[in-house]
Amino acid sequence: MVDASKLTRIQGSCNGESLQSVHAPKLAAQHLPISPKQTSCLRSDQMPGAMPLRPTRDSTDWFQAKEVLTSTEEKTWRLSLTPSIIHVGTDTPYQSSRPARNALLNKTLLKKPLLNKPLLNKSLPDLPLDSFEEPPDGGFWAWAHTFAGHLAVFNAQGLNLAYGVFQAYYQNIYIPEKSPSQIAWIGSLQIFLLFFTSIVVSPMVDKGYFRVCFNGGSLLLVITLVATSFCKEYWQLVLVQGVSTGIAMGLVFGSGVIVLMSYFSRRIGIATGIAAAGARGVVYPLIVDKLLFRIGFPNTMRVLALVALVTFIPANIITRQRPGVQCKGPPQMDWTMFRDIPFLLMTAGMFFSFWGVYFGFYYVSTYALTTLHLSPTQSLNILIFTNAANLPGRFLPNILSDSRFGPLNTIIPCTFLTSFFLFLWIRATTHTTLIVVACLFGFVAAGLQSLYSAVIYSFVPPGDQAKASVRLAFVFAVIGVACLTGAPVGGELIERREGGGYLYAQVFAGASVFAGGCFLGAARVGKAGWRLRRL
């Protein structure tokens, strides 16, 4: 018989509040005999005065309390804090609703008896109270945030993917005195700042300034679209459409991705795929195509601003930081990532992949117009077809990633296939072949564009989740540099080719993405070897 009055209460501190752990199992509280054969492991929510615990994301040396609660002639009870439960040690393994976690939890349980030990009363380490809850990985609010993320990406990356329309319009009509490379800097600045501002956005979100980033970025994006309608000079377009719009995109995109990923764990690939589908870049090019030559450039930009405003309203109403993840402490730099060879190889792979991939989206319409001498409508349709094929490509790879292969195993073949179709573009010398190649390129490139966040997240070590945003921001910044320079380098190669041919630029884009696939493959081998496993 176990005397409940002899059981020890272990208390800890969480953000200045008292944390009460296990008082006693219910059987003990009722003065019932307890034996290993009769009692299974009790979760913390089955114990009076208890609450679920999980480690903070930066707790690599997670505290495990091995305190003897009481001793009987038959059994010594011990308390073990594991990443998601408080476990009262018995010989019966803990079984959760997630089989993947069972092995990890049962592996950490105490097996050696601790007999004749005095009762201990120590303090648990300081843990953020709101970091205990796990991602819901589904439910109304999680999927609502996926929809909101779709709208946010629609106005950030989707608007940038439509820059190919502006590239052709500026190059041939609006500012024809500027070279293709100079005009490409406008779109490159957009995508560069979209990724690079994550260095600032990530710690701001961690400190609780999500609303400032997301709501402020949404408003700024609408304002910059209106301001672009008044631009008539090249430097004005660079400053407003390139820099200001890029910063607004980065505020919306960076904060939206961080919050969305906090709602999912196992289904993160599908969630990010649905959100990334917003970047399909079909709506904005169609609007420009129908209105640009009817109402003019200024009014067309104001219509785009109205579309952004209308779609941002539900996104800003829905999106909020998930309760349980906000951290108002100082941001923690993860210096260990510079010694993590697989992580660095993955970062290099992302750089080279994104260095070449956006060249295809920016220049396919211009290529059709200047090299194949198609009409403006036909050349614009090529870009629309490319972005339309991009939409299903943002779902299928993500479904395969979550259900079977994992994000890294899925993104590698997508990267090599993207490189293949960039090389195949060299042989697309007719209208029909260009449509086929452009659609296939858009489809396979979508896997690269939608899975990179999940791939980066997979390189965060277990127990180090608080630094996930640091690694995410670092790789985003590297991707931003690649996007900033990739399209202008391609434009410069077009100028250097006699007659303005695209051969050098196409080889550059294909070779760059191929190198990215090689680095991602090396990162996969460095992380898990040559074994066939989900990764």
Side-chain angles (χ1 to χ4, degrees):
M1 192 77 66
V2 179
D3 187 357
S5 64
K6 295 182 181 180
L7 298 178
T8 302
R9 171 185 292 187
I10 299 176
Q11 292 185 340
S13 174
C14 265
N15 289 344
E17 298 184 11
S18 175
L19 168 65
Q20 296 182 358
S21 62
V22 182
H23 290 232
K26 290 183 178 179
L27 293 175
Q30 298 172 4
H31 299 275
L32 297 177
I34 302 175
S35 66
K37 295 181 180 180
Q38 295 173 333
T39 308
S40 62
C41 299
L42 301 176
R43 296 192 307 274
S44 59
D45 56 3
Q46 295 174 317
M47 306 175 187
M51 63 178 294
L53 292 177
R54 64 177 299 200
T56 56
R57 293 180 172 181
D58 57 345
S59 301
T60 54
D61 52 346
W62 172 243
F63 178 87
Q64 287 190 338
K66 302 176 181 180
E67 315 297 352
V68 179
L69 295 182
T70 185
S71 299
T72 65
E73 295 179 357
E74 298 180 357
K75 183 73 178 177
T76 298
W77 287 90
R78 294 174 296 272
L79 173 67
S80 175
L81 289 174
T82 68
S84 60
I85 63 166
I86 300 178
H87 182 90
V88 177
T90 70
D91 292 339
T92 305
Y94 171 78
Q95 296 293 330
S96 73
S97 59
R98 299 185 182 181
R101 188 187 301 157
N102 292 337
L104 173 63
L105 297 183
N106 293 321
K107 191 175 180 180
T108 64
L109 301 183
L110 302 175
K111 295 301 180 182
K112 297 182 180 180
L114 299 174
L115 300 176
N116 301 321
K117 298 287 185 180
L119 295 180
L120 303 177
N121 188 10
K122 295 184 178 180
S123 295
L124 298 177
D126 291 341
L127 300 174
L129 181 63
D130 51 10
S131 67
F132 294 154
E133 299 182 12
E134 290 187 348
D137 210 32
F140 173 78
W141 280 112
W143 293 115
H145 276 76
T146 303
F147 170 71
H150 179 91
L151 295 178
V153 174
F154 166 77
N155 287 302
Q157 280 191 318
L159 189 60
N160 179 264
L161 281 178
Y163 183 74
V165 180
F166 295 103
Q167 175 79 25
Y169 179 73
Y170 293 159
Q171 184 175 329
N172 294 279
I173 298 175
Y174 205 61
I175 44 177
E177 69 277 7
K178 298 299 179 180
S179 67
S181 178
Q182 289 175 309
I183 295 173
W185 278 106
I186 301 173
S188 295
L189 280 170
Q190 277 187 357
I191 196 68
F192 162 71
L193 291 169
L194 183 146
F195 286 109
F196 196 80
T197 51
S198 60
I199 292 180
V200 177
V201 172
S202 175
M204 287 183 67
V205 173
D206 286 343
K207 287 185 176 183
Y209 295 106
F210 165 75
R211 286 295 178 190
V212 175
C213 295
F214 195 80
N215 299 142
S218 302
L219 180 61
L220 180 61
L221 183 56
V222 174
I223 293 174
T224 55
L225 287 174
V226 175
T228 303
S229 67
F230 296 98
C231 296
K232 296 181 179 180
E233 302 290 337
Y234 172 72
W235 67 269
Q236 295 172 339
L237 290 169
V238 170
L239 183 62
V240 177
Q241 190 178 14
V243 177
S244 301
T245 305
I247 292 174
M249 289 176 174
L251 291 172
V252 172
F253 177 76
S255 56
V257 167
I258 291 173
V259 169
L260 173 62
M261 295 181 73
S262 69
Y263 279 86
F264 291 91
S265 56
R266 292 181 297 111
R267 298 175 177 174
I268 193 170
I270 295 176
T272 55
I274 295 174
R280 57 192 180 272
V282 175
V283 176
Y284 282 119
L286 283 173
I287 294 175
V288 175
D289 179 42
K290 298 300 181 182
L291 299 181
L292 190 59
F293 295 101
R294 293 184 181 180
I295 62 177
F297 175 75
N299 288 329
T300 300
M301 294 305 301
R302 290 161 196 159
V303 171
L304 298 184
L306 179 62
V307 173
L309 176 63
V310 171
T311 52
F312 266 137
I313 290 175
N316 280 267
I317 292 174
I318 294 172
T319 310
R320 64 198 68 184
Q321 268 190 294
R322 182 173 67 84
V325 297
Q326 181 175 334
C327 176
K328 296 187 178 181
Q332 300 181 14
M333 182 58 188
D334 182 14
W335 297 107
T336 60
M337 66 182 177
F338 297 108
R339 301 191 299 269
D340 189 343
I341 301 301
F343 173 79
L344 294 178
L345 289 171
M346 180 273 298
T347 304
M350 291 298 178
F351 174 86
F352 284 103
S353 298
F354 281 87
W355 205 25
V357 70
Y358 279 101
F359 172 82
F361 290 97
Y362 287 179
Y363 281 96
V364 65
S365 182
T366 307
Y367 173 84
L369 186 65
T370 60
T371 302
L372 301 187
H373 306 291
L374 301 180
S375 67
T377 301
Q378 289 176 318
S379 61
L380 178 60
N381 287 338
I382 297 291
L383 177 63
I384 294 175
F385 294 154
T386 304
N387 290 334
N390 195 259
L391 176 60
R394 290 178 182 262
F395 286 105
L396 182 59
N398 293 73
I399 294 173
L400 293 175
S401 169
D402 279 0
S403 63
R404 190 170 185 85
F405 300 110
L408 184 58
N409 288 336
T410 308
I411 200 173
I412 292 173
C414 290
T415 305
F416 282 118
L417 285 172
T418 301
S419 171
F420 172 75
F421 286 112
L422 282 171
F423 282 121
L424 194 61
W425 181 12
I426 299 172
R427 305 302 302 171
T429 56
T430 65
H431 186 193
T432 303
T433 55
L434 181 60
I435 291 176
V436 174
V437 171
C439 290
L440 293 174
F441 163 76
F443 177 81
V444 297
L448 171 62
Q449 294 171 311
S450 61
L451 282 171
Y452 64 92
S453 296
V455 170
I456 299 169
Y457 209 73
S458 70
F459 279 82
V460 178
D464 200 17
Q465 298 299 309
K467 297 175 183 176
S469 59
V470 176
R471 294 198 174 200
L472 197 70
F474 174 75
V475 181
F476 273 16
V478 172
I479 291 174
V481 174
C483 295
L484 174 67
T485 58
V489 168
E492 186 66 26
L493 291 173
I494 292 173
E495 292 181 42
R496 293 182 178 275
R497 172 73 171 172
E498 184 178 354
Y502 280 68
L503 177 62
Y504 295 164
Q506 291 164 330
V507 171
F508 156 75
S512 175
V513 177
F514 181 83
C518 292
F519 276 108
L520 290 172
R524 192 248 181 256
V525 174
K527 185 177 181 180
W530 295 97
R531 292 173 297 171
L532 297 177
R533 51 169 289 193
R534 176 190 173 98
L535 193 64

